[in-house]
Amino acid sequence: MISSFAPERALAHRKRSATKTRHTVIAMKVCPSIPYPDVRFLQEESAMQLRDNGLRFSPITVVLHWVVALSLLAILCLQVVIGQASSEAGRTSLEHLQNLMGLILFLVSIYRFWARITSYHPLPVGTPNPIEVIISRSVAAALALAMVLLPVAVWASRSAAGEGVGLPGGFSIPALLPTNAALKQVVDVLFDIGAWAFLAGLALHVFGALKNHFLLKNNTLKRMLGKHVEL
């Protein structure tokens, strides 16, 4: 009974492999300027790989993507709560918690940026416009870099202002720069430019995800939720 199903399983496996190969070749033709990994290498990758490949995001990438998104949202919410805090002690505790979340976000972002530039990006779902693919990937890489640089800018600004970066439990982050009012102004201007650029890129990123999900009705968003999808 078991052996009778072996040819059928083998045939199904060959069909899946052929489909993946065909999608890779099509993508190479549509976006020849984007480097793609070897097709045989993609087919040999396991479903639970540790790094992204041309077919899917790794579970680590999916989890960290949403960790960063939720952390950003939590930091923004904490900023609103800090502004409404009635006591100085409560405000200080919330600021320390916000600093801790920012530190964790910074460390995670370093890994995400490294993974972004050293791993293959999964092939696009469906048959997207090549220009849109290049723009979306450029925006994603820029956002990953901004998540590394913006926390450093905040750290530098507070250091130049002579302010410490306190953490829960009485810990603190050492100053990055000496106290200097003129230097703080320069850092603040650079931060404002970077922050607005980050928000613009984030808006494009969210718009692209919603467009793929609701307008084009493909599985791009579902893939980032961890679902295995066919290209």
Side-chain angles (χ1 to χ4, degrees), residues 88-144:
E88 185 64 28
R91 185 181 299 108
T92 300
S93 298
L94 291 174
E95 288 176 349
H96 288 177
L97 178 60
Q98 187 184 48
N99 292 338
L100 176 60
M101 295 188 66
L103 175 61
I104 296 173
L105 186 61
F106 170 67
L107 297 176
V108 170
S109 297
I110 292 176
Y111 169 80
R112 291 186 71 238
F113 180 68
W114 170 80
R116 166 69 64 175
I117 63 176
T118 58
S119 302
Y120 289 111
H121 195 283
L123 300 171
V125 177
T127 55
N129 186 302
I131 301 300
E132 291 182 356
V133 174
I134 294 174
I135 292 175
S136 65
R137 295 190 177 183
S138 299
V139 168
L143 289 176

Short mmCIF file of all heavy atoms in Angstrom, two decimals, residues 88-144:
data_model
loop_
_atom_site.label_atom_id
_atom_site.label_comp_id
_atom_site.label_asym_id
_atom_site.label_seq_id
_atom_site.Cartn_x
_atom_site.Cartn_y
_atom_site.Cartn_z
N GLU A 88 6.30 63.43 38.23
CA GLU A 88 7.64 63.35 37.66
C GLU A 88 8.20 61.94 37.78
O GLU A 88 8.89 61.45 36.88
CB GLU A 88 8.56 64.33 38.39
CG GLU A 88 9.96 64.43 37.80
CD GLU A 88 9.95 64.98 36.39
OE1 GLU A 88 9.03 65.76 36.06
OE2 GLU A 88 10.87 64.64 35.61
N ALA A 89 7.90 61.26 38.90
CA ALA A 89 8.40 59.90 39.09
C ALA A 89 7.80 58.95 38.07
O ALA A 89 8.49 58.11 37.49
CB ALA A 89 8.08 59.42 40.51
N GLY A 90 6.50 59.09 37.83
CA GLY A 90 5.86 58.25 36.83
C GLY A 90 6.39 58.51 35.43
O GLY A 90 6.58 57.58 34.65
N ARG A 91 6.62 59.78 35.14
CA ARG A 91 7.16 60.14 33.83
C ARG A 91 8.56 59.56 33.64
O ARG A 91 8.90 59.03 32.58
CB ARG A 91 7.20 61.65 33.67
CG ARG A 91 7.65 62.11 32.28
CD ARG A 91 7.69 63.62 32.16
NE ARG A 91 6.38 64.20 32.37
CZ ARG A 91 6.02 64.88 33.45
NH1 ARG A 91 6.90 65.06 34.44
NH2 ARG A 91 4.81 65.38 33.58
N THR A 92 9.37 59.61 34.68
CA THR A 92 10.74 59.09 34.59
C THR A 92 10.73 57.58 34.39
O THR A 92 11.50 57.04 33.58
CB THR A 92 11.53 59.43 35.87
OG1 THR A 92 11.58 60.86 36.02
CG2 THR A 92 12.95 58.89 35.78
N SER A 93 9.86 56.88 35.10
CA SER A 93 9.78 55.42 34.95
C SER A 93 9.36 55.04 33.54
O SER A 93 9.92 54.10 32.94
CB SER A 93 8.78 54.85 35.96
OG SER A 93 9.19 55.09 37.28
N LEU A 94 8.40 55.77 33.00
CA LEU A 94 7.96 55.49 31.63
C LEU A 94 9.05 55.80 30.63
O LEU A 94 9.22 55.07 29.62
CB LEU A 94 6.70 56.30 31.32
CG LEU A 94 5.43 55.89 32.06
CD1 LEU A 94 4.30 56.86 31.77
CD2 LEU A 94 5.02 54.47 31.67
N GLU A 95 9.81 56.87 30.85
CA GLU A 95 10.91 57.20 29.95
C GLU A 95 11.98 56.11 29.98
O GLU A 95 12.55 55.77 28.93
CB GLU A 95 11.52 58.54 30.34
CG GLU A 95 10.65 59.73 30.01
CD GLU A 95 11.24 61.04 30.49
OE1 GLU A 95 12.22 60.99 31.28
OE2 GLU A 95 10.73 62.10 30.09
N HIS A 96 12.27 55.58 31.16
CA HIS A 96 13.25 54.50 31.26
C HIS A 96 12.77 53.25 30.52
O HIS A 96 13.56 52.57 29.84
CB HIS A 96 13.53 54.18 32.73
CG HIS A 96 14.30 55.24 33.43
ND1 HIS A 96 14.61 55.18 34.78
CD2 HIS A 96 14.84 56.40 32.98
CE1 HIS A 96 15.30 56.24 35.12
NE2 HIS A 96 15.46 57.00 34.06
N LEU A 97 11.48 52.96 30.63
CA LEU A 97 10.92 51.82 29.90
C LEU A 97 10.99 52.06 28.40
O LEU A 97 11.33 51.15 27.63
CB LEU A 97 9.47 51.60 30.34
CG LEU A 97 8.72 50.47 29.62
CD1 LEU A 97 9.42 49.13 29.84
CD2 LEU A 97 7.27 50.41 30.10
N GLN A 98 10.70 53.28 27.99
CA GLN A 98 10.78 53.61 26.57
C GLN A 98 12.23 53.49 26.06
O GLN A 98 12.47 53.00 24.95
CB GLN A 98 10.27 55.03 26.35
CG GLN A 98 10.15 55.43 24.88
CD GLN A 98 9.74 56.88 24.74
OE1 GLN A 98 10.30 57.77 25.39
NE2 GLN A 98 8.75 57.13 23.89
N ASN A 99 13.18 53.93 26.87
CA ASN A 99 14.59 53.80 26.49
C ASN A 99 15.00 52.34 26.34
O ASN A 99 15.75 51.98 25.43
CB ASN A 99 15.49 54.47 27.53
CG ASN A 99 15.32 55.98 27.55
OD1 ASN A 99 14.88 56.57 26.57
ND2 ASN A 99 15.67 56.60 28.66
N LEU A 100 14.50 51.49 27.25
CA LEU A 100 14.82 50.07 27.16
C LEU A 100 14.25 49.47 25.88
O LEU A 100 14.94 48.69 25.19
CB LEU A 100 14.26 49.34 28.38
CG LEU A 100 14.43 47.81 28.40
CD1 LEU A 100 15.92 47.45 28.37
CD2 LEU A 100 13.76 47.20 29.62
N MET A 101 13.03 49.81 25.54
CA MET A 101 12.43 49.29 24.33
C MET A 101 13.19 49.80 23.10
O MET A 101 13.38 49.08 22.12
CB MET A 101 10.97 49.69 24.25
CG MET A 101 10.10 49.08 25.33
SD MET A 101 8.34 49.38 25.08
CE MET A 101 8.06 48.44 23.59
N GLY A 102 13.63 51.05 23.16
CA GLY A 102 14.42 51.59 22.06
C GLY A 102 15.75 50.87 21.91
O GLY A 102 16.21 50.64 20.78
N LEU A 103 16.37 50.51 23.03
CA LEU A 103 17.63 49.78 22.98
C LEU A 103 17.44 48.40 22.37
O LEU A 103 18.24 47.96 21.53
CB LEU A 103 18.21 49.66 24.40
CG LEU A 103 19.49 48.83 24.54
CD1 LEU A 103 20.62 49.42 23.72
CD2 LEU A 103 19.89 48.72 26.02
N ILE A 104 16.40 47.70 22.81
CA ILE A 104 16.11 46.38 22.24
C ILE A 104 15.81 46.49 20.75
O ILE A 104 16.30 45.68 19.94
CB ILE A 104 14.93 45.73 22.99
CG1 ILE A 104 15.30 45.46 24.44
CG2 ILE A 104 14.51 44.44 22.30
CD1 ILE A 104 14.15 44.97 25.29
N LEU A 105 15.04 47.50 20.37
CA LEU A 105 14.72 47.72 18.97
C LEU A 105 15.97 47.99 18.16
O LEU A 105 16.12 47.51 17.02
CB LEU A 105 13.75 48.89 18.85
CG LEU A 105 13.17 49.18 17.47
CD1 LEU A 105 12.39 47.99 16.95
CD2 LEU A 105 12.30 50.42 17.52
N PHE A 106 16.90 48.75 18.72
CA PHE A 106 18.16 49.05 18.05
C PHE A 106 18.98 47.78 17.80
O PHE A 106 19.50 47.56 16.69
CB PHE A 106 18.96 50.04 18.89
CG PHE A 106 20.37 50.26 18.44
CD1 PHE A 106 20.65 50.87 17.23
CD2 PHE A 106 21.43 49.85 19.23
CE1 PHE A 106 21.95 51.07 16.81
CE2 PHE A 106 22.73 50.05 18.83
CZ PHE A 106 23.00 50.65 17.62
N LEU A 107 19.09 46.93 18.82
CA LEU A 107 19.87 45.70 18.67
C LEU A 107 19.23 44.75 17.66
O LEU A 107 19.92 44.14 16.84
CB LEU A 107 20.00 45.01 20.04
CG LEU A 107 20.77 45.81 21.10
CD1 LEU A 107 20.75 45.06 22.43
CD2 LEU A 107 22.19 46.08 20.65
N VAL A 108 17.91 44.64 17.71
CA VAL A 108 17.21 43.79 16.74
C VAL A 108 17.39 44.34 15.32
O VAL A 108 17.57 43.59 14.36
CB VAL A 108 15.71 43.69 17.10
CG1 VAL A 108 14.93 43.01 15.98
CG2 VAL A 108 15.53 42.92 18.40
N SER A 109 17.36 45.67 15.20
CA SER A 109 17.47 46.30 13.88
C SER A 109 18.84 46.08 13.27
O SER A 109 18.97 46.01 12.05
CB SER A 109 17.16 47.79 13.99
OG SER A 109 15.84 48.01 14.42
N ILE A 110 19.86 46.02 14.10
CA ILE A 110 21.21 45.73 13.57
C ILE A 110 21.21 44.37 12.89
O ILE A 110 21.73 44.21 11.77
CB ILE A 110 22.25 45.78 14.70
CG1 ILE A 110 22.43 47.20 15.22
CG2 ILE A 110 23.59 45.23 14.21
CD1 ILE A 110 23.38 47.31 16.39
N TYR A 111 20.64 43.38 13.56
CA TYR A 111 20.58 42.04 12.95
C TYR A 111 19.72 42.06 11.69
O TYR A 111 20.08 41.46 10.67
CB TYR A 111 20.01 41.03 13.94
CG TYR A 111 19.69 39.70 13.28
CD1 TYR A 111 20.71 38.79 13.01
CD2 TYR A 111 18.38 39.40 12.88
CE1 TYR A 111 20.43 37.59 12.37
CE2 TYR A 111 18.11 38.21 12.24
CZ TYR A 111 19.13 37.31 11.99
OH TYR A 111 18.84 36.14 11.34
N ARG A 112 18.58 42.74 11.72
CA ARG A 112 17.68 42.76 10.56
C ARG A 112 18.35 43.41 9.35
O ARG A 112 18.19 42.94 8.22
CB ARG A 112 16.38 43.50 10.90
CG ARG A 112 15.50 42.76 11.88
CD ARG A 112 14.17 43.46 12.05
NE ARG A 112 13.34 43.33 10.85
CZ ARG A 112 12.87 44.35 10.15
NH1 ARG A 112 13.16 45.59 10.49
NH2 ARG A 112 12.12 44.14 9.10
N PHE A 113 19.09 44.49 9.58
CA PHE A 113 19.77 45.14 8.46
C PHE A 113 20.86 44.23 7.89
O PHE A 113 21.02 44.12 6.68
CB PHE A 113 20.37 46.47 8.90
CG PHE A 113 21.08 47.20 7.79
CD1 PHE A 113 20.37 47.72 6.72
CD2 PHE A 113 22.45 47.34 7.81
CE1 PHE A 113 21.02 48.38 5.69
CE2 PHE A 113 23.11 48.00 6.80
CZ PHE A 113 22.39 48.52 5.73
N TRP A 114 21.60 43.58 8.79
CA TRP A 114 22.63 42.64 8.32
C TRP A 114 22.00 41.51 7.53
O TRP A 114 22.50 41.13 6.45
CB TRP A 114 23.40 42.08 9.52
CG TRP A 114 24.31 40.95 9.16
CD1 TRP A 114 25.54 41.02 8.59
CD2 TRP A 114 24.04 39.55 9.31
NE1 TRP A 114 26.07 39.76 8.38
CE2 TRP A 114 25.16 38.84 8.81
CE3 TRP A 114 22.97 38.83 9.82
CZ2 TRP A 114 25.23 37.46 8.82
CZ3 TRP A 114 23.03 37.45 9.83
CH2 TRP A 114 24.15 36.78 9.34
N ALA A 115 20.90 40.96 8.02
CA ALA A 115 20.22 39.87 7.31
C ALA A 115 19.67 40.36 5.97
O ALA A 115 19.67 39.61 4.99
CB ALA A 115 19.10 39.31 8.17
N ARG A 116 19.21 41.60 5.93
CA ARG A 116 18.64 42.14 4.69
C ARG A 116 19.67 42.22 3.59
O ARG A 116 19.41 41.89 2.43
CB ARG A 116 18.04 43.52 4.98
CG ARG A 116 17.70 44.36 3.77
CD ARG A 116 16.55 43.79 2.98
NE ARG A 116 15.31 43.78 3.75
CZ ARG A 116 14.14 43.43 3.25
NH1 ARG A 116 14.04 43.03 2.00
NH2 ARG A 116 13.06 43.42 4.00
N ILE A 117 20.88 42.65 3.91
CA ILE A 117 21.89 42.88 2.88
C ILE A 117 22.73 41.64 2.59
O ILE A 117 23.51 41.64 1.64
CB ILE A 117 22.81 44.05 3.26
CG1 ILE A 117 23.60 43.73 4.54
CG2 ILE A 117 22.02 45.33 3.41
CD1 ILE A 117 24.60 44.80 4.93
N THR A 118 22.58 40.59 3.40
CA THR A 118 23.39 39.39 3.17
C THR A 118 22.57 38.18 2.74
O THR A 118 23.13 37.13 2.47
CB THR A 118 24.17 39.01 4.45
OG1 THR A 118 23.26 38.79 5.54
CG2 THR A 118 25.15 40.12 4.84
N SER A 119 21.25 38.33 2.66
CA SER A 119 20.39 37.21 2.28
C SER A 119 19.65 37.53 0.98
O SER A 119 19.45 38.71 0.64
CB SER A 119 19.35 36.90 3.38
OG SER A 119 19.98 36.61 4.60
N TYR A 120 19.26 36.49 0.29
CA TYR A 120 18.41 36.68 -0.89
C TYR A 120 17.02 37.10 -0.45
O TYR A 120 16.47 36.58 0.51
CB TYR A 120 18.31 35.38 -1.69
CG TYR A 120 19.58 35.01 -2.41
CD1 TYR A 120 20.32 33.90 -2.00
CD2 TYR A 120 20.02 35.74 -3.49
CE1 TYR A 120 21.49 33.54 -2.66
CE2 TYR A 120 21.18 35.39 -4.16
CZ TYR A 120 21.91 34.29 -3.74
OH TYR A 120 23.06 33.94 -4.39
N HIS A 121 16.46 38.06 -1.17
CA HIS A 121 15.09 38.46 -0.89
C HIS A 121 14.15 37.54 -1.65
O HIS A 121 14.40 37.23 -2.82
CB HIS A 121 14.86 39.91 -1.32
CG HIS A 121 13.61 40.52 -0.77
ND1 HIS A 121 12.37 40.23 -1.28
CD2 HIS A 121 13.40 41.38 0.25
CE1 HIS A 121 11.46 40.89 -0.61
NE2 HIS A 121 12.05 41.60 0.33
N PRO A 122 13.07 37.08 -1.03
CA PRO A 122 12.14 36.20 -1.74
C PRO A 122 11.60 36.83 -3.01
O PRO A 122 11.44 38.05 -3.11
CB PRO A 122 11.01 35.98 -0.71
CG PRO A 122 11.68 36.18 0.61
CD PRO A 122 12.70 37.24 0.39
N LEU A 123 11.35 35.99 -3.98
CA LEU A 123 10.81 36.46 -5.25
C LEU A 123 9.44 37.10 -5.04
O LEU A 123 8.70 36.71 -4.15
CB LEU A 123 10.68 35.29 -6.23
CG LEU A 123 11.98 34.56 -6.57
CD1 LEU A 123 11.67 33.30 -7.36
CD2 LEU A 123 12.90 35.45 -7.37
N PRO A 124 9.08 38.08 -5.86
CA PRO A 124 7.78 38.71 -5.70
C PRO A 124 6.64 37.77 -6.04
O PRO A 124 6.78 36.87 -6.87
CB PRO A 124 7.84 39.88 -6.70
CG PRO A 124 8.86 39.47 -7.70
CD PRO A 124 9.88 38.67 -6.94
N VAL A 125 5.52 37.98 -5.37
CA VAL A 125 4.33 37.16 -5.63
C VAL A 125 3.62 37.70 -6.86
O VAL A 125 3.46 38.91 -7.03
CB VAL A 125 3.38 37.19 -4.41
CG1 VAL A 125 2.11 36.41 -4.71
CG2 VAL A 125 4.08 36.63 -3.19
N GLY A 126 3.17 36.80 -7.73
CA GLY A 126 2.48 37.21 -8.95
C GLY A 126 3.44 37.74 -9.99
O GLY A 126 4.60 37.33 -10.07
N THR A 127 2.98 38.68 -10.80
CA THR A 127 3.80 39.29 -11.86
C THR A 127 3.79 40.80 -11.68
O THR A 127 3.11 41.53 -12.42
CB THR A 127 3.25 38.92 -13.25
OG1 THR A 127 1.87 39.29 -13.32
CG2 THR A 127 3.40 37.43 -13.50
N PRO A 128 4.52 41.32 -10.69
CA PRO A 128 4.49 42.75 -10.41
C PRO A 128 5.30 43.55 -11.44
O PRO A 128 6.11 43.01 -12.19
CB PRO A 128 5.13 42.84 -9.02
CG PRO A 128 6.07 41.68 -9.00
CD PRO A 128 5.39 40.59 -9.77
N ASN A 129 5.07 44.85 -11.42
CA ASN A 129 5.85 45.76 -12.25
C ASN A 129 7.30 45.77 -11.75
O ASN A 129 7.53 45.94 -10.55
CB ASN A 129 5.25 47.17 -12.16
CG ASN A 129 5.92 48.14 -13.12
OD1 ASN A 129 7.12 48.35 -13.06
ND2 ASN A 129 5.12 48.76 -13.97
N PRO A 130 8.29 45.61 -12.64
CA PRO A 130 9.69 45.59 -12.20
C PRO A 130 10.10 46.85 -11.45
O PRO A 130 10.87 46.77 -10.48
CB PRO A 130 10.46 45.45 -13.51
CG PRO A 130 9.50 44.84 -14.46
CD PRO A 130 8.15 45.35 -14.07
N ILE A 131 9.58 48.01 -11.87
CA ILE A 131 9.92 49.25 -11.18
C ILE A 131 9.39 49.23 -9.75
O ILE A 131 10.07 49.65 -8.81
CB ILE A 131 9.34 50.47 -11.93
CG1 ILE A 131 9.88 50.52 -13.36
CG2 ILE A 131 9.66 51.75 -11.19
CD1 ILE A 131 11.38 50.64 -13.43
N GLU A 132 8.17 48.71 -9.57
CA GLU A 132 7.60 48.63 -8.23
C GLU A 132 8.40 47.68 -7.34
O GLU A 132 8.55 47.92 -6.14
CB GLU A 132 6.15 48.17 -8.31
CG GLU A 132 5.21 49.19 -8.93
CD GLU A 132 3.77 48.71 -8.93
OE1 GLU A 132 3.53 47.56 -8.51
OE2 GLU A 132 2.88 49.48 -9.34
N VAL A 133 8.91 46.61 -7.93
CA VAL A 133 9.72 45.66 -7.16
C VAL A 133 10.99 46.34 -6.68
O VAL A 133 11.38 46.23 -5.50
CB VAL A 133 10.07 44.43 -8.01
CG1 VAL A 133 11.04 43.52 -7.26
CG2 VAL A 133 8.81 43.66 -8.36
N ILE A 134 11.66 47.07 -7.56
CA ILE A 134 12.90 47.76 -7.18
C ILE A 134 12.62 48.80 -6.11
O ILE A 134 13.37 48.92 -5.13
CB ILE A 134 13.53 48.40 -8.43
CG1 ILE A 134 13.97 47.31 -9.41
CG2 ILE A 134 14.73 49.27 -8.03
CD1 ILE A 134 14.47 47.85 -10.74
N ILE A 135 11.53 49.56 -6.28
CA ILE A 135 11.20 50.60 -5.29
C ILE A 135 10.87 49.98 -3.94
O ILE A 135 11.35 50.43 -2.89
CB ILE A 135 10.01 51.45 -5.79
CG1 ILE A 135 10.43 52.28 -7.00
CG2 ILE A 135 9.50 52.36 -4.67
CD1 ILE A 135 9.29 53.07 -7.62
N SER A 136 10.08 48.92 -3.94
CA SER A 136 9.66 48.30 -2.67
C SER A 136 10.86 47.72 -1.93
O SER A 136 10.96 47.86 -0.70
CB SER A 136 8.62 47.22 -2.93
OG SER A 136 9.17 46.15 -3.67
N ARG A 137 11.79 47.11 -2.66
CA ARG A 137 12.96 46.54 -2.00
C ARG A 137 13.91 47.62 -1.52
O ARG A 137 14.53 47.48 -0.46
CB ARG A 137 13.66 45.57 -2.94
CG ARG A 137 12.79 44.37 -3.26
CD ARG A 137 13.53 43.29 -3.99
NE ARG A 137 12.68 42.13 -4.21
CZ ARG A 137 13.09 41.01 -4.78
NH1 ARG A 137 14.33 40.90 -5.20
NH2 ARG A 137 12.25 39.99 -4.93
N SER A 138 14.02 48.70 -2.27
CA SER A 138 14.86 49.82 -1.84
C SER A 138 14.29 50.46 -0.58
O SER A 138 15.03 50.79 0.35
CB SER A 138 14.97 50.85 -2.96
OG SER A 138 15.55 50.29 -4.12
N VAL A 139 12.97 50.62 -0.54
CA VAL A 139 12.32 51.20 0.63
C VAL A 139 12.51 50.30 1.85
O VAL A 139 12.81 50.77 2.95
CB VAL A 139 10.82 51.44 0.36
CG1 VAL A 139 10.08 51.78 1.66
CG2 VAL A 139 10.64 52.57 -0.64
N ALA A 140 12.37 48.99 1.65
CA ALA A 140 12.53 48.05 2.77
C ALA A 140 13.95 48.10 3.32
O ALA A 140 14.15 48.09 4.55
CB ALA A 140 12.18 46.64 2.32
N ALA A 141 14.95 48.17 2.44
CA ALA A 141 16.34 48.25 2.89
C ALA A 141 16.60 49.57 3.60
O ALA A 141 17.30 49.62 4.63
CB ALA A 141 17.28 48.08 1.71
N ALA A 142 16.03 50.67 3.07
CA ALA A 142 16.21 51.98 3.69
C ALA A 142 15.57 52.03 5.07
O ALA A 142 16.12 52.61 6.01
CB ALA A 142 15.62 53.07 2.80
N LEU A 143 14.40 51.42 5.22
CA LEU A 143 13.74 51.37 6.53
C LEU A 143 14.58 50.58 7.53
O LEU A 143 14.70 50.97 8.70
CB LEU A 143 12.35 50.75 6.40
CG LEU A 143 11.29 51.58 5.69
CD1 LEU A 143 10.00 50.77 5.55
CD2 LEU A 143 11.01 52.88 6.45
N ALA A 144 15.15 49.48 7.08
CA ALA A 144 15.99 48.67 7.97
C ALA A 144 17.22 49.46 8.42
O ALA A 144 17.62 49.39 9.60
CB ALA A 144 16.42 47.38 7.27
#
